[in-house]
Amino acid sequence: MKRIHVVLVLLGGLLAGCSSHDQTSGETAGTQAPAAVADQPLDLCRLMPVADVAAILQANGADTVTEQKPGAGGMCSYLHVPQPGDYRTKLLIDVTRMASADQAGQALAAHRQDFAGRGVTVTPVPGLGDEAFLAETEGTAGLKLRVGAYQGQINLSVEDRDPASLRPAVLALGKQAVARLP
């Protein structure tokens, strides 16, 4: 149980500051005009269905997922629960459309700086979107990326697996997510 708590705390640290809602409007919820379809948050569970995600994980030796759960603002969590209460694999995919590419770049730079401040090494990933980097903490491999005004993250943990062994799966998921962005 303690291991699950530690993993959830670490996963939360990787997730800090990113949600898949649209940040292009400065209006408050009470004054917001109806948004056009293009202005709606991404539905990552539809963009990245569980079958596609499971196939990528399996092809890259990172276990599998069997369930997906939508989250606030369109983010999607994926799980593999071989026995009730036993979360073997946990994955979160979250992408936010910022007001501009510059704002998305600034947010990604802030995440990079936050990791550096906590002593977490980041590894640049050239050729994935406009910019991307990997960050690995105990039990979790995370990818942060930017494509135009979109900023996102993919965080994967598999019970008893070294985060470095999860890199191929995280990078493959990142490539697919980038290819599917509108």
Side-chain angles (χ1 to χ4, degrees), residues 100-119:
S100 67
D102 185 52
Q103 185 182 24
Q106 290 173 11
L108 194 65
H111 288 299
R112 187 179 293 113
Q113 186 173 13
D114 177 54
F115 284 124
R118 292 187 283 146

Side-chain angles (χ1 to χ4, degrees), residues 37-121:
V37 173
D39 292 336
Q40 295 297 317
L42 293 173
D43 180 350
L44 294 184
C45 288
R46 291 185 76 183
L47 189 69
M48 300 287 289
V50 70
D52 294 358
V53 170
I56 289 173
L57 292 175
Q58 291 167 9
N60 288 280
D63 202 46
T64 192
V65 289
T66 53
E67 301 174 28
Q68 70 181 52
K69 297 181 181 192
M75 76 173 82
C76 195
S77 296
Y78 303 82
L79 303 168
H80 177 55
V81 185
Q83 298 174 8
D86 178 20
Y87 297 98
R88 180 180 167 125
T89 302
K90 293 178 259 346
L91 169 68
L92 176 98
I93 301 176
D94 189 15
V95 177
T96 302
R97 189 169 135 244
M98 308 296 276
S100 67
D102 185 52
Q103 185 182 24
Q106 290 173 11
L108 194 65
H111 288 299
R112 187 179 293 113
Q113 186 173 13
D114 177 54
F115 284 124
R118 292 187 283 146
V120 177
T121 302

